[in-house]
Amino acid sequence: MIRAAQLGVRLAWRAKPSRSALIVVGSALAATLLLTGAGAYSAMHAGPSTSDTQRLLLTVAIALAAPIVVLLITAARLSAGSRDRRAAALSRLGLARLKVRSLAGAENAVLAALGSLIGVGLHLLVAAPLLDALGRRADWFAREPVAPVSATIGLTLGVVAAAASVAYLPNRSARPGARTDVASARPRLWRLVPISLGTICLITATALHGNRDGDPTSVELAGFLGGAALAILGLPIALPVAVRVLGDMATRAQAPSIAIAGRGLQSEPASTTRLVAAVLAALTVVTGALCVLQAFWDLNGVQRQLLADTVGPQFGRLELVPGAPSPTEAEIDRVAAVPGVSAVVARVNYVVEGRTGACAGETEPADPCGSAFVGTCADLAAIYGAVTGCRDDAVLETRVEEFESGPSVWTSSDQLWLRPNGYADPIQPEPVGPSVEITPVAGQIVFPYEATETVGIFDVFVPRAFAPSLPISGVTVVMDGGPVVRAAVEAAVEGISGDYNSPNVSELRRVEAYEATTWSVAGIMLATGLAGLAIAGADRVTERRRRLASLWAVGAPSGVLRRSQMLQSLLPLAVGAPLAVVIGGLIGTAYLALGGIVGRYPWSQTLVLLGIALAAAVITAVISQVGLVRRPSPDLLHRE
Amino acid sequence: MDSVLCGRGLVRRFGERAALDGVDFEVGRGEVVAVMGPSGSGKSTLLMCLAGIDVPDDGVVEFDGKGLSTMNERGRAELRLRRFGFVFQFGELVPELTLAENVSLPLWLTGTPRRRATALARRMLEELGILEHADHRTSEVSGGEAQRAAVARALVHRPEVVFADEPTGALDTANGELVLEAIVAAAASRDAAVVIVTHEPRVAAFAQREVTLRDGRLHEPASLLP
């Protein structure tokens, strides 16, 4: 065994350099991604992150693991044909199967170790800049996202072990006298079991939860997680069945390139599927994430903050400390002079007794109370825009227009397991200062519905003239949308006593960070998957060079050869990609359903993702045909 | 006998070494010529140059009175596909295709409807005695049967010249003879010229004429049969 391993080490350096290089590259990529994930997790753990964000990162890590594993397997099984021939020759010489595999394992391990070391270096170089944009934006990381030493050692050894263990996978053609029996290449129907089970689990978990409020039960959660895992893993397992059917159909085509590709798919439905498995995993996971993300975007709070951040208006609030001096007119003017500020309104918010409803902070109100706004109709117009029925000579109740329609569906992010924080608060009544008697209510002010969504409303309007002695409790700054005016106002209020609350866009920022994370993950997963596709495609062409050269020699147009090779890579993707999107959509929908939400399906984003994936796959497949040179060497057709 | 293919003053160098060093060669319609010589003598290089697979550094190759060097890569590929036939050392069939599909490939690639191409391929396989394997793939038949299928592929489109590069190199004696008989008989029935490259005298015995290459030079100049 040790001798076999020693021979394997020697072969690692003497094998085809292109193959060895590809294994090194594959391992380096895998190590870089794993270590960066570990670094991010550890940096997040040390920081003020919530369990929700840690759960998010864990999901990201699992999502990234799938294409990494596929990439590693792809790299470690490169040039399977020539290596199988070598293994068969060694078997004929009398080497036991385990020894043959040890040899291949040692060869892979040496190359993967080199790749992993490069990966460690790459991780140190790229981790911080890669995660900086995401982390800083969402304030997730407490320190640089560099993997701890223990994780570095563990993951590096893991990559090496994984690459080596691929050599121990069963390999039919390595047996002496083994033949490729095309009939046996017909995939068995058991391959459909995992994906079917996964789908059933997802649907069952959703149905069990039904319309019930609250978090999912452990059974529903297990059904969802198990179903999602089975569906994601089951897709590449089931796909060869569809690929074989597609191959059967393609062989009937008139065009030689399609028919040749069809025969190729018939003969090797599983190995051609393996080439695109990572891309499919990426599509599934990212489509699911896009569904959840769409629900985030549909949150009222996010919509509101998005509107405030882009179009406006947005509202800043200066809360005065009881007993502290009120802002001077010069200070108010300084704020009002900021470009983009449309109004600065001194607020007098008070609690009123004699009304039903809970006071702020009280779950069981001891005394019925409500909130009052003491000011003028001009103040109301400046803050709320179109209000109707306001009079400066009477105490008025408030009412909100009936909600008719709008883009928002969800009123609370509590329904989503990954909760954005910093929900915009409505104006809270502030029981400060002396109390005054007010005259009975004489009418109603009607607010537009949007007022409840932006600055919040109050129960009673009291004209300023009715309570001129009440000190102001705060200042509301009404400004245009955008971060520039927000920052300018923040600068202008500095020095004024009280606490200034800038317009809250934290929820928007968090969702933007989730979105950036999703697309980054999509990019990394797709790039990893496509790297595997390109590596395997190039290796495939190299492996078949002699056969392709003979076809070229008999005059077969090179376009036919090129197209047939490309179709063999792309047809499984063409079948698998829509399936991946459907499975991803199902997982995302089930996730939302367990939170009691019926989400909108993100069709446009999914189609963009699908288009990018397919276009990138076509480009990758074209690039991988570089080995198929226009005029092969005649040496390929003759051996002395 | 009319000359269908000829090469004059062919020179092909690989670095400092000249694989062909001023070779003149000619083959007539229906003629079977064996190119003999030890390993590395330049036999296969001569065949590649004559077939338009490789391009000589000097000299001209003419087929049917037309110089191959005047054609572009596409033109030469068209010529090989429609008017030449090839039998390689190891058959080099497409393993994913059945024998019938492999044989019908040259017809199929030149636009013959698939059904007709398959029918002609089956007829050819029947002529060579392997019709029962028409729907088998190369991995499901013996080496001799696969090589006979390669011969069928080389002849199915009625080529004017058949090139065979060590066609029996990977076969035992019995199967080798079967393949050679098939090439010669099928070529004779179609009046096709045959150029067989070999280093085995028993293979050359099937030819009407032998030429020998040594160190890139023809030691017995080829001449047309009377």
Side-chain angles (χ1 to χ4, degrees):
Chain A
M1 184 91 94
I2 291 170
R3 293 248 168 122
Q6 283 174 338
L7 182 57
V9 172
R10 204 171 299 170
L11 282 172
W13 305 117
R14 296 191 179 176
K16 280 195 301 185
S18 57
R19 179 187 161 266
S20 301
L22 291 176
I23 294 182
V24 171
V25 170
S27 312
L29 271 176
T32 308
L33 290 173
L34 286 171
L35 292 173
T36 304
Y41 185 80
S42 118
M44 191 178 269
H45 205 68
S49 65
T50 63
S51 61
D52 289 332
T53 41
Q54 286 176 17
R55 202 186 297 167
L56 172 72
L57 194 68
L58 196 65
T59 311
V60 169
I62 292 168
L64 285 176
I68 292 169
V69 168
V70 174
L71 177 68
L72 259 182
I73 292 175
T74 305
R77 285 184 71 85
L78 285 176
S79 304
S82 53
R83 288 205 297 156
D84 286 355
R85 281 193 292 277
R86 188 180 72 195
L90 290 168
S91 292
R92 281 189 203 100
L93 282 176
L95 226 62
R97 200 180 301 169
L98 188 64
K99 283 188 178 174
V100 173
R101 288 180 183 170
S102 301
L103 184 149
E107 184 184 355
N108 280 354
V110 168
L111 296 168
L114 179 63
S116 298
L117 285 177
I118 296 170
V120 172
L122 278 176
H123 158 66
L124 293 173
L125 275 176
V126 304
L130 192 73
L131 296 170
D132 192 53
L134 298 177
R136 293 280 157 77
R137 191 177 217 165
D139 205 17
W140 283 340
F141 304 133
R143 57 178 176 79
E144 289 292 291
V146 175
V149 176
S150 56
T152 305
I153 294 170
L155 289 172
T156 307
L157 289 177
V159 169
V160 175
S165 63
V166 171
Y168 290 85
L169 292 174
N171 193 347
R172 272 186 304 144
S173 56
R175 289 197 294 272
R179 275 179 163 191
T180 310
D181 183 358
V182 174
S184 70
R186 184 173 286 283
R188 303 282 169 82
L189 288 179
W190 68 259
R191 285 174 168 275
L192 298 175
V193 172
I195 197 168
S196 307
L197 272 178
T199 309
I200 290 168
C201 283
L202 287 171
I203 293 170
T204 308
T206 310
L208 279 177
H209 191 75
N211 294 325
R212 183 168 48 77
D213 286 338
D215 282 351
T217 64
S218 55
V219 173
E220 291 162 4
L221 196 60
F224 169 75
L225 293 174
L230 277 172
I232 292 171
L233 294 174
L235 179 60
I237 294 173
L239 196 59
V241 178
V243 168
R244 173 72 199 220
V245 172
L246 187 74
D248 290 346
M249 286 160 61
T251 52
R252 298 194 192 107
Q254 271 295 330
S257 54
I258 299 176
I260 292 172
R263 285 293 186 207
L265 293 177
Q266 273 186 328
S267 310
E268 303 172 316
S271 64
T272 46
T273 303
R274 201 183 304 128
L275 294 184
V276 298
V279 179
L280 296 183
L283 284 176
T284 310
V285 172
V286 175
T287 308
L290 287 176
C291 281
V292 178
L293 203 61
Q294 182 67 53
F296 274 93
W297 279 117
D298 282 347
L299 283 167
N300 269 354
V302 176
Q303 289 284 317
R304 200 163 63 216
Q305 291 181 5
L306 180 65
L307 202 64
D309 195 45
T310 50
V311 181
Q314 49 187 345
F315 304 91
R317 293 173 62 213
L318 180 71
E319 306 297 346
L320 300 181
V321 180
S326 297
T328 62
E329 267 187 36
E331 286 171 331
I332 297 283
D333 288 347
R334 188 174 74 211
V335 177
V338 171
V341 170
S342 55
V344 179
V345 178
R347 279 186 290 107
V348 185
N349 287 350
Y350 271 84
V351 172
V352 287
E353 292 183 355
R355 289 184 54 79
T356 55
C359 293
E362 291 181 17
T363 49
E364 296 288 332
D367 299 306
C369 61
S371 59
F373 180 92
V374 183
T376 63
C377 288
D379 292 341
L380 283 188
I383 298 175
Y384 296 100
V387 292
T388 54
C390 186
R391 288 161 50 192
D392 278 323
D393 59 354
V395 174
L396 302 165
E397 270 190 332
T398 61
R399 184 169 69 78
V400 178
E401 274 178 349
E402 204 164 306
F403 174 71
E404 286 176 359
S405 64
S408 304
V409 181
W410 323 116
T411 53
S412 168
S413 61
D414 288 349
Q415 286 164 288
L416 298 168
W417 302 350
L418 302 170
R419 297 177 182 102
N421 296 329
Y423 214 65
D425 297 322
I427 290 174
Q428 297 296 336
E430 292 157 24
V432 292
S435 61
V436 291
E437 290 281 329
I438 56 173
T439 53
V441 171
Q444 273 190 337
I445 299 176
V446 182
F447 284 93
Y449 179 79
E450 292 73 33
T452 61
E453 298 288 309
T454 51
V455 279
I457 60 163
F458 46 87
D459 298 306
V460 178
F461 169 74
V462 180
R464 191 75 173 100
F466 284 41
S469 62
L470 290 177
I472 65 168
S473 53
V475 173
T476 296
V477 183
V478 186
M479 61 190 104
D480 296 343
V484 176
V485 63
R486 219 163 37 228
V489 171
E490 280 168 17
V493 296
E494 260 183 42
I496 302 177
S497 68
D499 299 323
Y500 177 69
N501 298 314
S502 197
N504 184 5
V505 285
S506 61
E507 195 163 356
L508 176 68
R509 291 288 167 265
R510 192 156 287 264
V511 174
E512 282 175 344
Y514 286 158
E515 185 166 58
T517 305
T518 303
W519 285 107
S520 303
V521 169
I524 293 170
M525 287 181 86
L526 279 177
T528 312
L530 291 172
L533 184 66
I535 287 171
D539 184 62
R540 200 185 172 94
V541 168
T542 311
E543 281 275 287
R544 294 170 183 201
R545 232 166 20 160
R546 208 155 62 89
R547 188 196 313 163
L548 296 172
S550 74
L551 282 172
W552 172 83
V554 300
S558 54
V560 170
L561 308 181
R562 240 174 259 278
R563 279 195 296 276
S564 71
Q565 290 299 303
M566 273 179 58
L567 284 171
Q568 284 185 58
S569 297
L570 293 178
L571 284 179
L573 192 64
V575 183
L579 279 175
V581 166
V582 169
I583 295 290
L586 182 65
I587 292 170
T589 308
Y591 174 91
L592 292 175
L594 291 184
I597 296 170
V598 181
R600 283 195 297 141
Y601 193 81
W603 286 111
S604 56
Q605 292 185 57
T606 306
L607 288 175
V608 167
L609 178 71
L610 200 57
I612 291 171
L614 290 176
V618 170
I619 293 166
T620 309
V622 170
I623 292 168
S624 69
Q625 305 294 309
V626 169
L628 190 63
V629 289
R630 194 171 287 277
R631 192 156 160 246
S633 163
D635 294 346
L636 290 166
L637 303 169
H638 179 86
R639 275 184 273 176
E640 291 294 344
Chain B
M1 188 178 286
D2 290 343
S3 164
V4 66
L5 178 75
C6 68
R8 291 197 194 91
L10 299 178
V11 176
R12 182 73 174 105
R13 290 189 194 86
F14 296 101
E16 291 296 304
R17 194 177 70 85
L20 299 178
D21 191 7
V23 172
D24 294 320
F25 180 89
E26 224 169 355
V27 60
R29 285 188 198 281
E31 187 185 13
V32 180
V33 179
V35 181
M36 298 278 290
S39 287
S41 58
K43 312 184 290 293
S44 293
T45 306
L46 175 62
L47 183 142
M48 302 292 172
C49 288
L50 290 172
I53 293 172
D54 201 0
V55 180
D57 297 314
D58 205 356
V60 290
V61 177
E62 282 184 359
F63 169 73
D64 216 9
K66 245 186 174 177
L68 264 59
S69 55
T70 62
M71 300 177 185
N72 59 15
E73 191 66 57
R74 199 175 192 164
R76 285 199 295 271
E78 190 78 6
L79 185 71
R80 291 198 299 271
L81 186 61
R82 292 178 186 274
R83 302 180 75 178
F84 292 171
F86 293 90
V87 183
F88 297 109
Q89 198 175 5
F90 297 99
E92 305 295 0
L93 299 173
V94 181
E96 291 92 354
L97 301 182
T98 63
L99 295 194
E101 285 170 337
N102 264 298
V103 173
S104 65
L105 204 55
L107 297 169
W108 203 8
L109 290 169
T110 48
T112 308
R114 193 169 171 184
R115 187 171 291 189
R116 177 162 166 68
T118 307
L120 289 170
R122 285 181 172 276
R123 198 179 303 163
M124 198 71 228
L125 288 170
E126 188 177 18
E127 212 174 295
L128 290 164
I130 47 171
L131 182 61
E132 70 270 27
H133 298 301
D135 295 322
H136 291 168
R137 288 170 174 77
T138 51
S139 60
E140 297 164 330
V141 298
S142 70
E145 286 159 347
Q147 195 67 341
R148 270 190 276 167
V151 172
R153 183 178 72 176
L155 297 169
V156 71
H157 54 303
R158 308 188 74 83
E160 288 160 69
V161 184
V162 176
F163 296 96
D165 187 4
E166 303 278 11
T168 61
L171 299 177
D172 58 35
T173 309
N175 268 312
E177 283 184 3
L178 272 175
V179 165
L180 286 167
E181 279 167 8
I183 293 174
V184 171
S189 69
R190 290 164 173 76
D191 201 26
V194 179
V195 180
I196 303 176
V197 161
T198 183
H199 63 273
E200 292 180 73
R202 68 178 176 85
V203 174
F206 282 82
Q208 294 158 337
R209 183 162 61 94
E210 281 180 36
V211 294
T212 305
L213 262 176
R214 192 165 293 128
D215 299 326
R217 287 173 176 274
L218 268 186
H219 282 256
E220 295 168 47
S223 60
L224 288 176
L225 288 176

